[in-house]
Amino acid sequence: MTSTAVEAQPDSSMVEVHGIEKYFGHNHVLRGVDLEVHRREAVMIIGRSGSGKTTLLRCINFLEEPTAGWVEVDGLRVDADPLHARSRSHREQIRQLRMRAGMLFQDFNLFPHMTAVQNCIEAPMRVSGLSRAEAVELADRYLARVGLIDKRDEHPSRLSGGQKQRVAIARALCMEPKVLMFDEPTSALDPELIGEVLGVMEDLAHEGTTMVVVTHEMHFAREAADRVIFMDDGLIVEEGPPEQVLNDPHDDRTRQFLRRFLDQDIADEEHSHPTA
Amino acid sequence: MSQSQQAQIAFEAEHPTSIVDRIEAAQDRARLSFRVQFALVWLFIITLILVGLYAGGRIEPGWLAKQAPYILGGIWITILVSVASIALALVLALLGALGRISSNPMVYAVASFYVSLVRGTPLLVQIFIIYFALPQVGLVLPPIPSGIIALGFNYGAYMTEIFRAGIQAVPRGQREAAQALGMPEPHIFRRIVLPQAVRIVIPAVGNEFVAMIKDSSLVSVITVQELLWRARQVGTRDARSIQAFLVAALVYWILTIIFSFFQERLERRMARSER
């Protein structure tokens, strides 16, 4: 691997995003985003819906082909090539990139025709070339880590939303990715199930997993983020340590966004404890 | 223990035969009564037809006993033709569907041409072309293979669209999750999309098979000695067409009922195990 020299420096970058632009038709969704994520860093991206944060995440692993710019994950750089997006060499590069960058989705996307453990071993067996025994061992280890080893033989239909997302996390971990990307991982969950997913994510962050998380959970960002990024209208408007961005934002748009969220939070609290 | 559970226990203590049990019993009675009436009406209609035919002198048990075994012998040909045709149709439909979702213009064009041509012409014409017209260009096929090819091609075109719709009905997120794990495209199709598409299309494919059992009777026109062909032979020869065709109709009906029964069970089992 070419990355051994880089790995020696703990502070070097794991993900580098340069000049990413994305058009949907004539709609300019990302307007030249630069982002660097260091090894062992947990970065949380916040912002209004429509600000481009999900699109940015999907451009990093090329689920959306960027219109311009490039992405580098752990030493592998892939340039946006929208005119030859379907060429074989470009597809293969993207596939290599995706193996380094695990992704979690809002609605989990577990494979419904497979049990939890089958969900976890499919890619390691067919993509990483592990034997079934090796893949199962790996899957059991990560299922245990997300606290679901006793559900290993259940189909997704028999799991709660929170359990599904935790299996999805185990499935992503089984590819031993260099970075985990979360796209609003708790947005589809009932309120009482959010905590178990955030708990697993917080553990991962504390253990030094490199993470990029798009989220609306401000408390979680405050607790678990090393850096918070605020996006608006296809650009990164403000970034910094969570205390600074969340408590003392410099930009007007960040302030506005957070004020609205804070109001909502207070309203929620009053709602959930009517007798307190 | 939640408040509502406590409330229910308190309620049941006060009311020995709870309203819940009484509602359930009433629903059971209504269901049973519905079924009994259903069976009675069917029995009545069938009896009416049989009595009518018998009274009119149209049913002769002696003739039936002698000729029915010959007609019933055609069941096996009917089943053979249906099963072989549906197997051929499944293969063609999978290829056709792959073509219809392909981004390669030539592949897409060929698949679309096949679907358009076959769906735009009558099945009977297709059977005639394969059996009577192909020999003129030197391609002579025996009746049974001709029939299987004609039916398979025809149903393959209809099922192409069923398969295509089934593949496209698999949520996009499934593909994306597999892509995000680094799976190569052929693998994603074979292991993630196709198994889910198959589950989606099973009811529709089952309906096609029921239709196939009935449409297999069309190959009697090219001398395949299946149910209908045999019924017509003896019916015409002995001037007993009503009885002969009645036997054939009854057999088709029973075959489809039996198949539908298994189809329903399969669907129920699939619905239970996944999702």
Side-chain angles (χ1 to χ4, degrees), chain B residues 41 49 77 81 110 145 159 164 174 196 200 247 262 274:
Chain B
V41 171
I49 293 171
I77 308 279
V81 168
V110 169
M159 281 159 57
R164 181 190 55 74
Q174 290 291 311
Q196 296 185 58
I200 293 170
V247 170
F262 284 114
E274 327 289 349

Side-chain angles (χ1 to χ4, degrees), chain A residues 95-113:
Chain A
R95 208 173 64 76
Q96 296 293 335
L97 186 78
R98 286 171 179 162
M99 288 168 65
R100 295 159 191 242
M103 180 138 176
L104 281 304
F105 299 86
Q106 193 173 333
D107 35 14
F108 334 123
N109 294 338
L110 288 181
F111 307 132
H113 56 301

Side-chain angles (χ1 to χ4, degrees), chain B residues 202-203 206-207 256-274:
Chain B
I202 275 180
N207 293 342
T256 57
I257 287 174
I258 291 171
F259 180 78
S260 301
F261 172 76
F262 284 114
Q263 184 197 357
E264 225 166 86
R265 271 182 32 156
L266 177 69
E267 278 172 33
R268 257 211 308 275
R269 216 185 54 207
M270 293 218 125
R272 239 199 336 263
S273 68
E274 327 289 349

Side-chain angles (χ1 to χ4, degrees), chain A:
Chain A
M1 283 279 185
T2 51
S3 56
T4 38
V6 190
E7 253 159 13
Q9 311 162 334
D11 248 9
S12 65
S13 81
M14 178 68 91
V15 178
E16 207 177 331
V17 171
H18 186 84
I20 288 289
E21 307 221 14
K22 178 65 185 175
Y23 282 87
F24 287 117
H26 289 282
N27 190 6
H28 204 173
V29 181
L30 294 178
R31 300 164 176 267
V33 176
D34 298 323
L35 170 67
E36 201 180 344
V37 182
H38 298 286
R39 275 163 213 280
R40 306 175 66 82
E41 190 184 21
V43 171
M44 314 262 162
I45 306 177
I46 60 173
R48 287 185 296 117
S49 59
S51 59
K53 50 196 196 311
T54 289
T55 306
L56 174 62
L57 213 58
R58 291 168 60 86
C59 279
I60 292 177
N61 70 354
F62 281 70
L63 280 183
E64 304 289 353
E65 178 88 26
T67 311
W70 53 262
V71 174
E72 187 175 311
V73 177
D74 191 37
L76 177 74
R77 173 173 157 173
V78 182
D79 291 29
D81 193 3
L83 292 180
H84 308 95
R86 300 190 64 88
S87 82
R88 188 160 297 187
S89 62
H90 189 55
R91 292 280 110 194
E92 183 52 29
Q93 267 196 322
I94 290 172
R95 208 173 64 76
Q96 296 293 335
L97 186 78
R98 286 171 179 162
M99 288 168 65
R100 295 159 191 242
M103 180 138 176
L104 281 304
F105 299 86
Q106 193 173 333
D107 35 14
F108 334 123
N109 294 338
L110 288 181
F111 307 132
H113 56 301
M114 299 178 178
T115 62
V117 74
Q118 285 167 343
N119 264 277
C120 290
I121 64 174
E122 184 68 22
M125 278 175 65
R126 317 285 165 146
V127 181
S128 318
L130 299 191
S131 72
R132 173 171 288 270
E134 290 168 329
V136 168
E137 197 191 316
L138 198 63
D140 283 345
R141 185 158 83 232
Y142 285 121
L143 283 171
R145 183 153 161 193
V146 300
L148 288 173
I149 190 66
D150 53 323
K151 301 282 183 193
R152 68 191 293 281
D153 296 317
E154 298 285 4
H155 279 91
S157 58
R158 319 227 340 147
L159 301 176
S160 74
Q163 290 170 336
K164 282 183 199 165
Q165 192 62 292
R166 283 150 67 199
V167 171
I169 292 173
R171 178 174 73 175
L173 287 171
C174 282
M175 289 301 289
E176 317 225 277
K178 301 292 182 181
V179 53
L180 275 184
M181 307 197 294
F182 295 80
D183 181 15
E184 303 192 22
T186 56
S187 294
L189 294 177
D190 290 339
E192 74 269 23
L193 302 177
I194 290 175
E196 61 187 73
V197 173
L198 294 183
V200 169
M201 290 170 63
E202 211 169 327
D203 290 346
L204 287 170
H206 287 146
E207 287 161 27
T209 311
T210 312
M211 295 165 58
V212 184
V213 184
V214 169
T215 187
H216 291 297
E217 300 290 335
M218 296 303 153
H219 295 290
F220 173 67
R222 202 185 302 267
E223 294 299 315
D226 295 310
R227 181 157 46 118
V228 171
I229 288 177
F230 175 73
M231 279 186 75
D232 193 55
D233 201 19
L235 283 171
I236 292 178
V237 169
E238 181 159 7
E239 60 180 307
E243 313 82 57
Q244 185 256 303
V245 176
L246 297 175
N247 297 349
D248 182 25
H250 299 321
D251 195 282
D252 258 354
R253 286 164 290 184
T254 319
R255 223 168 285 150
Q256 251 182 13
F257 169 79
L258 287 171
R259 192 173 309 129
R260 202 167 329 130
F261 243 93
L262 210 61
D263 290 348
Q264 206 176 13
D265 259 19
I266 291 166
D268 280 352
E269 301 260 304
E270 283 170 354
H271 229 69
S272 54
H273 307 292
T275 51

Side-chain angles (χ1 to χ4, degrees), chain B residues 38-54 59 246 250 253-254 257:
Chain B
F38 177 92
L40 283 176
V41 171
W42 275 48
L43 206 65
F44 177 72
I45 297 172
I46 291 169
T47 316
L48 207 65
I49 293 171
L50 290 180
V51 166
L53 287 169
Y54 190 74
I59 288 188
L246 217 55
L250 206 63
W253 193 20
I254 290 168
I257 287 174

